[in-house]
Amino acid sequence: MSDCIFCKIVDKKLPSTPVAENQHAIAFRDLHPGAPTHILVVPRKHVVNLNDAREEDAAELGHLLLLARDVAKAEGLAEKGYRIAINNGAGVGQSVFHLHLHVLGGRAMSWPPG
Ligand code: AMP
């Protein structure tokens, strides 16, 4: 998608602060962190959000979770705890329409989120 900022970050046409990457996805720090650790895990393939995901994406979706886990571990969050969030739709705060996992940690968090 030529006008998608996360596609541009995936293609390294826009800068980011990367923390990890593999053949399936990249992980980089959120520009406006909502927690001491706030990392985005973004699939290389452009998928708008979960509504856009298909059965054939099942393995790719699983790889996102595994990379999020590895990132959280590398950030020292495995024992303390961390939250994985996906905003699906503008009504719940999705602002970039390329699927991404938020990995949030480093502070106490209430549940349910506000
Ligand atoms: P969402 O609101 O769930 O779509 O999340 C999009 C996230 O992307 C927000 O937390 C933004 O702060 C973050 N963001 C937007 N542009 C960039 C960028 N160029 N680099 C890093 N994070 C970004």
Side-chain angles (χ1 to χ4, degrees), residues 5-6 28-32 40 87 93-96 100 102:
I5 59 169
F6 284 0
F28 53 90
R29 296 196 189 278
D30 197 293
L31 206 52
H32 304 291
L40 303 173
N87 291 323
Q94 186 175 8
S95 60
V96 177
H100 50 282
H102 295 258

Side-chain angles (χ1 to χ4, degrees), residues 8 10 22 24 43 73 77 82 90 94 98:
K8 288 178 182 167
V10 165
N22 61 28
H24 308 285
K73 187 176 180 188
L77 297 173
Y82 56 93
Q94 186 175 8
H98 179 135

Side-chain angles (χ1 to χ4, degrees), residues 25 60 74 113:
E60 290 295 304

Side-chain angles (χ1 to χ4, degrees), residues 53-64:
R54 301 170 179 214
E55 292 299 313
E56 68 211 40
D57 296 320
E60 290 295 304
L61 294 171
H63 286 298
L64 293 183

